[in-house]
């Protein structure tokens, strides 16, 4: 069994997500997230206790939406480099680079972004933007005339 473990901090909550990425003979387990809460102990010490389930992976989806929105709204004309996108994400969301990295990891597996090779650099586009800029569609208009969208 192979388990990918990642720590998270969001709005003061701490926790971990466990992704069961590889099983030898069985189907993988469902991903799991657990939230922890800091509690005070006697003598000025503290400890973390399990505070319940929390789906940090679903919370990451909000960041994936934000990342696509940034690509669409700020970089619609020419796309963005990875560095430009990360810088804009961190600046506009006031979150950490690790939040961006988690969102980007999920986005790369999806069809929501297009990675265009530009020499040695890559340009990133929101998928719907790339579709619009690549080849304008020709739509049949009423009356048999044709117009470009």
């Amino acid at each position: 069994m192979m388990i990918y473990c990642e720590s998270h901090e969001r709005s003061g909550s701490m926790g971990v997500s466990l992704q069961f990425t590889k099983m030898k003979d069985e189907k993988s387990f469902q991903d799991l997230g657990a939230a922890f809460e800091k509690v005070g102990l006697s003598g000025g010490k503290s400890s973390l206790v399990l505070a319940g389930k929390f789906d940090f992976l679903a919370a990451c989806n909000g960041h994936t939406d934000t990342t696509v929105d940034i690509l669409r709204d700020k970089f619609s004309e020419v796309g963005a480099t990875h560095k430009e996108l990360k810088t804009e994400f961190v600046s506009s969301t006031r979150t950490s680079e690790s939040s961006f990295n988690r969102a980007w990891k999920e986005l790369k597996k999806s069809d929501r972004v297009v990675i265009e090779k530009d020499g040695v650099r890559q340009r990133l586009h929101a998928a719907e933007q790339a579709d619009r800029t690549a080849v304008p569609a020709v739509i049949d208009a009423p009356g048999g005339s044709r117009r470009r969208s």
Side-chain angles (χ1 to χ4, degrees):
M1 174 187 315
M2 220 176 193
I3 302 172
Y4 176 75
C5 180
E6 188 171 17
S7 65
H8 302 271
E9 187 169 343
R10 182 183 169 113
S11 303
S13 296
M14 295 173 282
V16 295
S17 61
L18 302 174
Q19 294 174 304
F20 301 90
T21 57
K22 191 174 188 180
M23 296 286 287
K24 183 175 178 177
D25 297 324
E26 297 291 326
K27 182 180 169 190
S28 289
F29 296 111
Q30 181 178 355
D31 295 342
L32 173 69
F36 296 97
E37 187 175 309
K38 186 176 179 179
V39 294
L41 301 175
S42 61
K45 295 182 180 181
S46 63
S47 183
L48 289 179
V49 296
L50 187 60
K53 287 175 49 177
F54 184 80
D55 193 349
F56 286 98
L57 299 173
C60 176
N61 287 340
H63 289 315
T64 59
D65 292 343
T66 301
T67 305
V68 172
D69 290 344
I70 290 169
L71 276 172
R72 187 182 57 247
D73 299 340
K74 303 263 184 185
F75 299 102
S76 63
E77 296 297 318
V78 295
T81 63
H82 183 268
K83 183 178 180 178
E84 291 169 337
L85 180 59
K86 181 189 287 192
T87 300
E88 183 61 35
F89 176 89
V90 170
S91 171
S92 60
T93 62
R94 298 177 188 231
T95 57
S96 66
E97 286 188 9
S98 61
S99 293
F100 171 81
N101 292 336
R102 280 190 297 276
W104 181 244
K105 181 180 172 185
E106 293 302 312
L107 276 173
K108 285 192 303 185
K109 296 186 241 174
S110 76
D111 60 354
R112 299 180 64 197
V113 294
V114 174
I115 301 172
E116 174 186 42
K117 297 245 182 203
D118 181 18
V120 286
R121 294 184 114 182
Q122 294 180 341
R123 303 298 295 177
L124 313 172
H125 302 272
E128 64 271 9
Q129 224 75 47
D131 291 344
R132 268 190 245 132
T133 57
V135 180
V138 176
I139 301 171
D140 285 331
S145 63
R146 296 174 68 110
R147 65 177 173 87
R148 289 193 173 265
S149 63

